[in-house]
Amino acid sequence: MGLIVKTSARAIIPLIGIFGTYIVAHGHLTPGGGFQGGATIAGAGVLFLVAFGLNEMRKHYNKHLYSALEGLGGLAFLGAAMLGIGTAFFYNTLWHNGPILNGKPGTLLSAGFLPIMNLAVGLKVFTGLVSALVAIAMYRRWKS
Amino acid sequence: MKRTIAYLSLLFILGVLLYVANPDYGLKFGPGGDDWKNLRYTDDYYITHGVEEVGGTNIVTDIVFDYRGYDTIGEATVLFTAIAGAVALTRPWRGDEQ
């Protein structure tokens, strides 16, 4: 892309990233959450790829790291669900008698495992969408 | 012939769905008052008890991550499988490098 697009992308990509992180981190207080925020951050990845091209994306994209982070997001989600396994699967033990994340409803450090799950799902969605996007962008066989 | 039957079947299904969607015979849209208590008692429970039972003020997040967390696990699994399938199918084929 041209110079104007590249410069604008340089300014806008951090803003999209910060806004997506805000959506993920405040998933238990305001509309949004892991899936929506992860898709928003993946939009920053799309903008990077479109504005700077595939060769630049290849330098900053590590296939193994993104695959590992996607698996790690899923495992963190399951681990947060397992925290209250003494009572039941998906028992919100951090909220009922946990040491952290048990503030007043409406504050950031409240709602038990919901922020952990939001972060895990946001990480998973972001890395997954970027992986699929790069895989499709590298699929360069127009003929045959 | 087959295509005609297929279109007629689609038309029939559309008619049935339109009949069901009629408020006089089937679904009710925007229930309020007593209808809200009778038809949407689950929503009423979530709205009343969600904040004290789960702690998040966003009731949708309370439902999808706590009350019905299995559904979210399934959703994450679907996403994982879709990404794995897309990445696996778009890899270069053997002997495709030149």
Side-chain angles (χ1 to χ4, degrees):
Chain A
M1 286 283 175
L3 183 66
I4 298 175
V5 175
K6 278 187 183 174
T7 313
S8 313
R10 240 178 230 122
I12 290 173
I13 285 172
L15 293 180
I16 299 178
I18 290 170
F19 183 60
T21 316
Y22 158 76
I23 293 179
V24 172
H26 288 241
H28 54 296
L29 304 176
T30 54
F35 287 98
Q36 295 86 348
T40 307
I41 306 174
V46 175
L47 181 57
F48 186 91
L49 176 63
V50 170
F52 294 100
L54 187 56
N55 286 329
E56 192 69 23
M57 188 74 178
R58 241 187 219 138
K59 285 181 210 154
H60 293 90
Y61 169 79
N62 185 350
K63 187 171 70 178
H64 304 293
L65 174 69
Y66 274 63
S67 302
L69 279 181
E70 190 181 4
L72 186 74
L75 283 181
F77 184 90
L78 276 177
M82 290 271 190
L83 281 177
I85 197 75
T87 304
F89 195 51
F90 270 104
Y91 179 66
N92 199 342
T93 186
L94 280 181
W95 167 247
H96 292 293
N97 45 19
I100 52 165
L101 294 173
N102 57 354
K104 256 178 53 185
T107 56
L108 190 59
L109 292 178
S110 67
F113 58 34
L114 260 62
I116 306 174
M117 283 185 168
N118 270 319
L119 289 174
V121 171
L123 183 71
K124 187 172 162 54
V125 170
F126 161 63
T127 51
L129 287 184
V130 170
S131 305
L133 174 83
V134 174
I136 293 170
M138 284 183 183
Y139 187 78
R140 282 274 181 98
R141 292 189 297 123
W142 293 108
K143 47 192 184 296
S144 82
Chain B
M1 184 61 198
K2 267 185 189 169
R3 189 157 292 186
T4 315
I5 293 176
Y7 284 137
L8 282 178
S9 316
L10 278 180
L11 204 64
F12 175 72
I13 293 172
L14 179 70
V16 169
L17 288 179
L18 280 178
Y19 182 81
V20 168
N22 191 330
D24 291 340
Y25 309 109
L27 299 175
K28 290 186 172 47
F29 293 100
D34 284 342
D35 275 352
W36 172 262
K37 291 284 186 197
N38 291 330
L39 302 173
R40 301 281 187 268
Y41 51 91
T42 323
D43 303 5
D44 200 57
Y45 180 87
Y46 288 146
I47 293 169
T48 313
H49 299 91
V51 173
E52 56 171 291
E53 283 189 355
V54 182
T57 48
N58 185 355
I59 303 292
V60 178
T61 306
D62 289 354
I63 293 171
V64 300
F65 281 140
D66 189 284
Y67 287 117
R68 303 187 174 180
Y70 281 101
D71 195 38
T72 310
I73 281 192
E75 204 174 341
T77 313
V78 166
L79 184 79
F80 188 87
T81 317
I83 301 296
V87 172
L89 284 177
T90 51
R91 286 177 70 193
W93 288 13
R94 193 176 301 161
D96 209 25
E97 285 81 19
Q98 68 274 7

